[in-house]
Amino acid sequence: MSFASQNFSPEIVKALTECGYEKLTPVQQKAIPFARRGHDILANAQTGTGKTAAFALPIIQNILDNAKPQQRRQARAVILAPTRELAAQIAANIQDYTKYTAVKTIAIYGGTKMSSQEKVLDSGVDILVATPGRLIEHMDLNNVSLVNLEFLVFDEADRMLDMGFINAIESIMAGVATKPQTMLFSATFSAQMNTLAGKILRQPKRVSVARENVTADTIAHVVYPVEQERKRELLSELIGRKNWQQVLVFVNYKETANELVKELKLDGIKAVLCHGDKAQSARRRALDEFKSGKARVMIATDVAARGLDIQNLPHVVNFDMPFLAEDYVHRIGRTGRAGQRGNAVSFVNRDEELTLQQVETLIGQRIYRKELEGYEPKNRAALLEKMHSKPAFKNRRTRQNNPSDSNQGDAERRSRLRRMIRAKK
Ligand code: AMP
């Protein structure tokens, strides 16, 4: 299905063609026709499916069809995103789609000056992409009002709830005086999410990308069973031996990221960091170096890397298995995007076998295990035997929450991990 056949304006179709978009992705095929007819939408879609265009294009087209001069301190559409990186990415995508139109889009998020954002808001915008906290700051200062809001999007809503934004969302909703067309996109659903959806959506059309598409089928998954203390060597060895040129490595702790950069440097491999302690500008610089090939490796934590759009990324490595099986899906969403081939490599120590099982259940596929001589963990066979025979292991469920990579989040994660390890002993 082509974009031209969806009655998008020639200016949009031209811009999409320049972005390399020819056909609609499945989530776009399902969501765009409903959104064009003005329905609220409740969509289950992961990163990498093309969800940004699925909600953005109908809004852009509607703004073009009902052109109005920009009103001071007002926005016609608000798109809420959990992280700065995702907000910046969404705004950049929309600016690409609207480059041949007069639609004005800005992103506002913490870590950058209020004053420069205030100036842009003062002259009015069509599409405002924001993190919840920063939007409230501007609303409280009367820099922006949502009294005339026409469109509202919650992107990666599960992550917003995980990060504790529920009160912020309620404050924002209190400032919305209209009944905007509202779309909620989320990779996972929980009771809290259903309550939120019930409050903010009116007779939503449900859109879901089928379970078998949870991870793109262009991704090759492989697991290396390995002792924790040999992981660093294994990473260097694989990068060198297989001559990987662009590798995104996920770790669970900022400390691991810092140590790993130093280790890789000793092996002559340039790596950059993307985690919560790094200033916004430093993260952007790291991403630029990684994208341009100046750095061969980027080491990231989950929250900091959320929503980063890196085209054609060939390799994603889970140096640590994520605490939540769902995060595996988010992480490897960076590779195998929009039809490109990708490799998802996971290092699994003894304590991470349980998460691996949960990941396999979630993605509905068994992952190929590759033992590399000299790196195999000891007593792994005995551990697997224990896991398969004890009901306590079999019946364990994937955890539902997922704190940010703030220090508090780290502490929570560590204590949860300790509990999990104790439970396995
Ligand atoms: P998203 O899920 O919105 O983060 O999109 C994932 C990636 O797919 C981004 O790099 C988009 O630019 C790209 N993309 C989105 N829609 C299409 C399409 N119809 N054809 C090709 N690439 C697309």
PDB file of all heavy atoms in Angstrom, residues 357-376:
ATOM      1  N   GLN A 357      14.874 -17.429  29.357  1.00  0.00           N
ATOM      2  CA  GLN A 357      13.653 -18.228  29.150  1.00  0.00           C
ATOM      3  C   GLN A 357      12.445 -17.329  28.962  1.00  0.00           C
ATOM      4  O   GLN A 357      11.586 -17.573  28.125  1.00  0.00           O
ATOM      5  CB  GLN A 357      13.406 -19.122  30.362  1.00  0.00           C
ATOM      6  CG  GLN A 357      14.275 -20.342  30.375  1.00  0.00           C
ATOM      7  CD  GLN A 357      13.717 -21.414  31.306  1.00  0.00           C
ATOM      8  OE1 GLN A 357      12.772 -21.191  32.056  1.00  0.00           O
ATOM      9  NE2 GLN A 357      14.318 -22.590  31.249  1.00  0.00           N
ATOM     10  N   GLN A 358      12.379 -16.268  29.777  1.00  0.00           N
ATOM     11  CA  GLN A 358      11.238 -15.346  29.681  1.00  0.00           C
ATOM     12  C   GLN A 358      11.237 -14.624  28.338  1.00  0.00           C
ATOM     13  O   GLN A 358      10.181 -14.397  27.741  1.00  0.00           O
ATOM     14  CB  GLN A 358      11.289 -14.341  30.834  1.00  0.00           C
ATOM     15  CG  GLN A 358      11.026 -15.012  32.175  1.00  0.00           C
ATOM     16  CD  GLN A 358      11.345 -14.111  33.360  1.00  0.00           C
ATOM     17  OE1 GLN A 358      12.082 -13.146  33.242  1.00  0.00           O
ATOM     18  NE2 GLN A 358      10.799 -14.447  34.506  1.00  0.00           N
ATOM     19  N   VAL A 359      12.430 -14.281  27.871  1.00  0.00           N
ATOM     20  CA  VAL A 359      12.540 -13.626  26.562  1.00  0.00           C
ATOM     21  C   VAL A 359      12.041 -14.572  25.475  1.00  0.00           C
ATOM     22  O   VAL A 359      11.277 -14.184  24.588  1.00  0.00           O
ATOM     23  CB  VAL A 359      14.008 -13.213  26.280  1.00  0.00           C
ATOM     24  CG1 VAL A 359      14.206 -12.874  24.812  1.00  0.00           C
ATOM     25  CG2 VAL A 359      14.411 -12.034  27.150  1.00  0.00           C
ATOM     26  N   GLU A 360      12.450 -15.828  25.566  1.00  0.00           N
ATOM     27  CA  GLU A 360      12.047 -16.796  24.543  1.00  0.00           C
ATOM     28  C   GLU A 360      10.526 -16.971  24.533  1.00  0.00           C
ATOM     29  O   GLU A 360       9.912 -17.079  23.484  1.00  0.00           O
ATOM     30  CB  GLU A 360      12.758 -18.133  24.771  1.00  0.00           C
ATOM     31  CG  GLU A 360      14.245 -18.049  24.450  1.00  0.00           C
ATOM     32  CD  GLU A 360      15.004 -19.343  24.674  1.00  0.00           C
ATOM     33  OE1 GLU A 360      14.614 -20.117  25.570  1.00  0.00           O
ATOM     34  OE2 GLU A 360      15.983 -19.583  23.953  1.00  0.00           O
ATOM     35  N   THR A 361       9.933 -16.970  25.727  1.00  0.00           N
ATOM     36  CA  THR A 361       8.468 -17.083  25.804  1.00  0.00           C
ATOM     37  C   THR A 361       7.829 -15.862  25.154  1.00  0.00           C
ATOM     38  O   THR A 361       6.886 -15.970  24.377  1.00  0.00           O
ATOM     39  CB  THR A 361       8.026 -17.183  27.288  1.00  0.00           C
ATOM     40  OG1 THR A 361       8.763 -18.236  27.879  1.00  0.00           O
ATOM     41  CG2 THR A 361       6.545 -17.453  27.417  1.00  0.00           C
ATOM     42  N   LEU A 362       8.376 -14.681  25.481  1.00  0.00           N
ATOM     43  CA  LEU A 362       7.787 -13.436  24.979  1.00  0.00           C
ATOM     44  C   LEU A 362       7.868 -13.344  23.454  1.00  0.00           C
ATOM     45  O   LEU A 362       6.908 -12.965  22.790  1.00  0.00           O
ATOM     46  CB  LEU A 362       8.494 -12.221  25.605  1.00  0.00           C
ATOM     47  CG  LEU A 362       7.948 -10.868  25.200  1.00  0.00           C
ATOM     48  CD1 LEU A 362       6.583 -10.625  25.851  1.00  0.00           C
ATOM     49  CD2 LEU A 362       8.894  -9.747  25.601  1.00  0.00           C
ATOM     50  N   ILE A 363       9.026 -13.696  22.901  1.00  0.00           N
ATOM     51  CA  ILE A 363       9.161 -13.537  21.442  1.00  0.00           C
ATOM     52  C   ILE A 363       8.689 -14.784  20.702  1.00  0.00           C
ATOM     53  O   ILE A 363       8.654 -14.811  19.475  1.00  0.00           O
ATOM     54  CB  ILE A 363      10.609 -13.166  21.008  1.00  0.00           C
ATOM     55  CG1 ILE A 363      11.594 -14.314  21.257  1.00  0.00           C
ATOM     56  CG2 ILE A 363      11.074 -11.902  21.710  1.00  0.00           C
ATOM     57  CD1 ILE A 363      12.988 -14.050  20.686  1.00  0.00           C
ATOM     58  N   GLY A 364       8.302 -15.821  21.474  1.00  0.00           N
ATOM     59  CA  GLY A 364       7.747 -17.022  20.859  1.00  0.00           C
ATOM     60  C   GLY A 364       8.743 -17.770  19.990  1.00  0.00           C
ATOM     61  O   GLY A 364       8.382 -18.344  18.969  1.00  0.00           O
ATOM     62  N   GLN A 365       9.980 -17.762  20.417  1.00  0.00           N
ATOM     63  CA  GLN A 365      11.009 -18.403  19.584  1.00  0.00           C
ATOM     64  C   GLN A 365      12.172 -18.817  20.478  1.00  0.00           C
ATOM     65  O   GLN A 365      12.506 -18.117  21.436  1.00  0.00           O
ATOM     66  CB  GLN A 365      11.408 -17.351  18.539  1.00  0.00           C
ATOM     67  CG  GLN A 365      12.763 -17.412  17.991  1.00  0.00           C
ATOM     68  CD  GLN A 365      13.005 -16.255  16.998  1.00  0.00           C
ATOM     69  OE1 GLN A 365      12.157 -15.405  16.727  1.00  0.00           O
ATOM     70  NE2 GLN A 365      14.190 -16.217  16.448  1.00  0.00           N
ATOM     71  N   ARG A 366      12.771 -19.982  20.171  1.00  0.00           N
ATOM     72  CA  ARG A 366      13.925 -20.401  20.945  1.00  0.00           C
ATOM     73  C   ARG A 366      15.167 -19.789  20.296  1.00  0.00           C
ATOM     74  O   ARG A 366      15.290 -19.767  19.074  1.00  0.00           O
ATOM     75  CB  ARG A 366      14.035 -21.933  20.937  1.00  0.00           C
ATOM     76  CG  ARG A 366      14.780 -22.445  22.128  1.00  0.00           C
ATOM     77  CD  ARG A 366      14.747 -23.940  22.225  1.00  0.00           C
ATOM     78  NE  ARG A 366      16.072 -24.441  22.622  1.00  0.00           N
ATOM     79  CZ  ARG A 366      16.584 -24.261  23.816  1.00  0.00           C
ATOM     80  NH1 ARG A 366      15.927 -23.606  24.738  1.00  0.00           N
ATOM     81  NH2 ARG A 366      17.783 -24.734  24.110  1.00  0.00           N
ATOM     82  N   ILE A 367      16.054 -19.250  21.124  1.00  0.00           N
ATOM     83  CA  ILE A 367      17.223 -18.544  20.579  1.00  0.00           C
ATOM     84  C   ILE A 367      18.411 -19.500  20.503  1.00  0.00           C
ATOM     85  O   ILE A 367      18.678 -20.248  21.444  1.00  0.00           O
ATOM     86  CB  ILE A 367      17.572 -17.315  21.448  1.00  0.00           C
ATOM     87  CG1 ILE A 367      16.367 -16.363  21.493  1.00  0.00           C
ATOM     88  CG2 ILE A 367      18.809 -16.603  20.911  1.00  0.00           C
ATOM     89  CD1 ILE A 367      16.578 -15.115  22.330  1.00  0.00           C
ATOM     90  N   TYR A 368      19.082 -19.448  19.393  1.00  0.00           N
ATOM     91  CA  TYR A 368      20.236 -20.317  19.144  1.00  0.00           C
ATOM     92  C   TYR A 368      21.366 -20.022  20.135  1.00  0.00           C
ATOM     93  O   TYR A 368      21.746 -18.868  20.322  1.00  0.00           O
ATOM     94  CB  TYR A 368      20.709 -20.085  17.705  1.00  0.00           C
ATOM     95  CG  TYR A 368      21.953 -20.845  17.332  1.00  0.00           C
ATOM     96  CD1 TYR A 368      21.978 -22.231  17.330  1.00  0.00           C
ATOM     97  CD2 TYR A 368      23.114 -20.159  16.988  1.00  0.00           C
ATOM     98  CE1 TYR A 368      23.131 -22.920  16.999  1.00  0.00           C
ATOM     99  CE2 TYR A 368      24.271 -20.831  16.646  1.00  0.00           C
ATOM    100  CZ  TYR A 368      24.271 -22.212  16.666  1.00  0.00           C
ATOM    101  OH  TYR A 368      25.404 -22.889  16.345  1.00  0.00           O
ATOM    102  N   ARG A 369      21.867 -21.082  20.806  1.00  0.00           N
ATOM    103  CA  ARG A 369      22.956 -20.899  21.772  1.00  0.00           C
ATOM    104  C   ARG A 369      24.261 -21.336  21.147  1.00  0.00           C
ATOM    105  O   ARG A 369      24.381 -22.453  20.665  1.00  0.00           O
ATOM    106  CB  ARG A 369      22.717 -21.747  23.015  1.00  0.00           C
ATOM    107  CG  ARG A 369      21.682 -21.172  23.947  1.00  0.00           C
ATOM    108  CD  ARG A 369      20.811 -22.278  24.471  1.00  0.00           C
ATOM    109  NE  ARG A 369      20.064 -21.870  25.657  1.00  0.00           N
ATOM    110  CZ  ARG A 369      18.862 -21.334  25.599  1.00  0.00           C
ATOM    111  NH1 ARG A 369      18.282 -21.081  24.435  1.00  0.00           N
ATOM    112  NH2 ARG A 369      18.215 -21.028  26.712  1.00  0.00           N
ATOM    113  N   LYS A 370      25.231 -20.458  21.266  1.00  0.00           N
ATOM    114  CA  LYS A 370      26.518 -20.757  20.651  1.00  0.00           C
ATOM    115  C   LYS A 370      27.567 -20.791  21.752  1.00  0.00           C
ATOM    116  O   LYS A 370      27.732 -19.807  22.474  1.00  0.00           O
ATOM    117  CB  LYS A 370      26.839 -19.628  19.677  1.00  0.00           C
ATOM    118  CG  LYS A 370      27.746 -20.027  18.573  1.00  0.00           C
ATOM    119  CD  LYS A 370      27.670 -18.972  17.498  1.00  0.00           C
ATOM    120  CE  LYS A 370      28.697 -19.250  16.445  1.00  0.00           C
ATOM    121  NZ  LYS A 370      28.574 -18.364  15.321  1.00  0.00           N
ATOM    122  N   GLU A 371      28.236 -21.918  21.892  1.00  0.00           N
ATOM    123  CA  GLU A 371      29.266 -21.985  22.931  1.00  0.00           C
ATOM    124  C   GLU A 371      30.596 -21.679  22.301  1.00  0.00           C
ATOM    125  O   GLU A 371      30.986 -22.322  21.313  1.00  0.00           O
ATOM    126  CB  GLU A 371      29.274 -23.372  23.566  1.00  0.00           C
ATOM    127  CG  GLU A 371      27.931 -23.725  24.171  1.00  0.00           C
ATOM    128  CD  GLU A 371      28.017 -24.266  25.574  1.00  0.00           C
ATOM    129  OE1 GLU A 371      29.085 -24.779  25.944  1.00  0.00           O
ATOM    130  OE2 GLU A 371      27.015 -24.176  26.310  1.00  0.00           O
ATOM    131  N   LEU A 372      31.295 -20.707  22.831  1.00  0.00           N
ATOM    132  CA  LEU A 372      32.609 -20.374  22.281  1.00  0.00           C
ATOM    133  C   LEU A 372      33.652 -20.973  23.213  1.00  0.00           C
ATOM    134  O   LEU A 372      33.613 -20.726  24.423  1.00  0.00           O
ATOM    135  CB  LEU A 372      32.754 -18.850  22.206  1.00  0.00           C
ATOM    136  CG  LEU A 372      33.758 -18.350  21.182  1.00  0.00           C
ATOM    137  CD1 LEU A 372      33.312 -18.693  19.765  1.00  0.00           C
ATOM    138  CD2 LEU A 372      33.900 -16.831  21.311  1.00  0.00           C
ATOM    139  N   GLU A 373      34.561 -21.737  22.630  1.00  0.00           N
ATOM    140  CA  GLU A 373      35.505 -22.481  23.448  1.00  0.00           C
ATOM    141  C   GLU A 373      36.255 -21.558  24.413  1.00  0.00           C
ATOM    142  O   GLU A 373      36.714 -20.488  24.012  1.00  0.00           O
ATOM    143  CB  GLU A 373      36.486 -23.218  22.547  1.00  0.00           C
ATOM    144  CG  GLU A 373      36.810 -24.589  23.087  1.00  0.00           C
ATOM    145  CD  GLU A 373      37.844 -25.261  22.227  1.00  0.00           C
ATOM    146  OE1 GLU A 373      37.619 -25.338  21.007  1.00  0.00           O
ATOM    147  OE2 GLU A 373      38.867 -25.678  22.788  1.00  0.00           O
ATOM    148  N   GLY A 374      36.324 -21.977  25.657  1.00  0.00           N
ATOM    149  CA  GLY A 374      37.039 -21.187  26.655  1.00  0.00           C
ATOM    150  C   GLY A 374      36.144 -20.221  27.402  1.00  0.00           C
ATOM    151  O   GLY A 374      36.525 -19.693  28.436  1.00  0.00           O
ATOM    152  N   TYR A 375      34.954 -19.946  26.896  1.00  0.00           N
ATOM    153  CA  TYR A 375      34.078 -18.981  27.543  1.00  0.00           C
ATOM    154  C   TYR A 375      32.873 -19.625  28.231  1.00  0.00           C
ATOM    155  O   TYR A 375      32.122 -18.948  28.924  1.00  0.00           O
ATOM    156  CB  TYR A 375      33.567 -17.948  26.531  1.00  0.00           C
ATOM    157  CG  TYR A 375      34.638 -16.993  26.055  1.00  0.00           C
ATOM    158  CD1 TYR A 375      35.301 -17.220  24.859  1.00  0.00           C
ATOM    159  CD2 TYR A 375      34.991 -15.879  26.809  1.00  0.00           C
ATOM    160  CE1 TYR A 375      36.289 -16.352  24.424  1.00  0.00           C
ATOM    161  CE2 TYR A 375      35.964 -15.006  26.385  1.00  0.00           C
ATOM    162  CZ  TYR A 375      36.624 -15.245  25.188  1.00  0.00           C
ATOM    163  OH  TYR A 375      37.592 -14.394  24.757  1.00  0.00           O
ATOM    164  N   GLU A 376      32.646 -20.916  28.016  1.00  0.00           N
ATOM    165  CA  GLU A 376      31.434 -21.539  28.544  1.00  0.00           C
ATOM    166  C   GLU A 376      31.402 -21.442  30.066  1.00  0.00           C
ATOM    167  O   GLU A 376      32.419 -21.640  30.715  1.00  0.00           O
ATOM    168  CB  GLU A 376      31.327 -23.035  28.187  1.00  0.00           C
ATOM    169  CG  GLU A 376      31.667 -23.403  26.782  1.00  0.00           C
ATOM    170  CD  GLU A 376      33.134 -23.767  26.624  1.00  0.00           C
ATOM    171  OE1 GLU A 376      33.981 -23.164  27.309  1.00  0.00           O
ATOM    172  OE2 GLU A 376      33.424 -24.644  25.816  1.00  0.00           O
TER     173      GLU A 376
END
